Amino acid sequence: MVSDTEIKEIISKLKRARPGRILDDYHINNEGVMHALVFLYLEDKPVSAGAISRRLNVSTARVAVILRKMLEKEIITKETDPKDARKAVIEITPKGRSIVERHKQMFYEDMKEMVDSIGKERFDDFLEVLGEMHVFLEEKRKIRGENCNENNI
C-alpha cells in the first residue's frame, strides 16, 4: 500500500505537471469559447443556446457570455429561430470554421511530434493509466452520490 509521504509526492508532481495546461495551450479551455466553437463545427447545423449549454455542461447565463464573445469575434451568427421566434439559433461562420481547422491541424502536428518524442508505447501506457484513473474517479462519484455535489459545500 502506498504511504502518505508517497501520496503527497505524487500530488506535488501532478500539480507541477499541470495536465490542464496542455489543453490551455490550444485555447481549448478558453473560457468555453473554443469548446463551443468545436461543438458548432462538429454539429454542422444551426443549434440552440440550450444545446450548447447542455453540451458544455454550463448555465445558459454562462453560454450567453460565451456567445457574446463569439459574436464580437464574428466566429458565429445568431438568428431568430424561424420555427419559434422566442428562440435563437447559432451557427458557425467561415471564419470560425477556419479557426477550428487551424487548431485541429496544429494540435495534430504537435501530438504527432510529442508521441514521437516520448515514444508510442510510453504514451499508450500513460493513456491507459489515465483511463483507469477516470474509471476509478467515476466509480467514487457514483458511490458518494449527492453527498459531494457543489450544493452541499
Side-chain angles (χ1 to χ4, degrees):
M1 179 172 283
V2 67
S3 72
D4 287 345
T5 303
E6 290 170 317
I7 287 298
K8 288 176 183 175
E9 185 179 320
I10 289 169
I11 290 170
S12 178
K13 285 179 181 178
L14 186 60
K15 285 179 182 177
R16 282 193 309 270
R18 298 171 58 202
R21 178 82 164 102
I22 294 168
L23 297 180
D24 289 341
D25 288 343
Y26 296 93
H27 307 289
I28 292 173
N29 289 338
N30 185 6
E31 301 172 349
V33 171
M34 195 63 186
H35 194 158
L37 194 61
V38 169
F39 173 66
L40 291 167
Y41 178 87
L42 294 173
E43 284 295 301
D44 200 28
K45 64 182 179 198
V47 299
S48 69
I52 296 171
S53 172
R54 287 186 296 279
R55 178 63 179 99
L56 272 59
N57 196 27
V58 296
S59 70
T60 52
R62 179 72 194 125
V63 168
V65 171
I66 291 169
L67 294 178
R68 187 170 45 251
K69 289 178 183 183
M70 295 171 80
L71 283 165
E72 288 170 5
K73 295 177 183 192
E74 299 178 343
I75 56 178
I76 62 163
T77 58
K78 182 178 175 185
E79 305 290 333
T80 302
D81 186 339
K83 297 176 187 170
D84 186 344
R86 298 170 298 167
K87 296 181 181 178
V89 290
I90 294 89
E91 193 166 9
I92 191 169
T93 64
K95 180 179 177 182
R97 190 170 292 286
S98 173
I99 290 169
V100 173
E101 289 168 357
R102 190 171 58 248
H103 273 78
K104 276 177 44 180
Q105 185 61 36
M106 183 175 60
F107 185 72
Y108 177 85
E109 290 169 4
D110 289 351
M111 286 299 295
K112 186 172 182 349
E113 284 182 42
M114 188 184 332
V115 172
D116 286 345
S117 173
I118 293 169
K120 186 173 181 324
E121 187 174 313
R122 285 187 65 213
F123 204 82
D124 285 342
D125 290 345
F126 164 73
L127 293 176
E128 186 175 332
V129 170
L130 196 60
E132 290 172 15
M133 290 170 67
H134 177 72
V135 168
F136 178 86
L137 293 172
E138 281 298 311
E139 288 300 317
K140 284 291 188 183
R141 281 189 201 102
K142 287 178 188 173
I143 291 167
R144 291 180 179 136
E146 292 296 317
N147 295 329
C148 290
N149 76 26
E150 64 185 45
N151 296 325
N152 294 331
I153 295 175

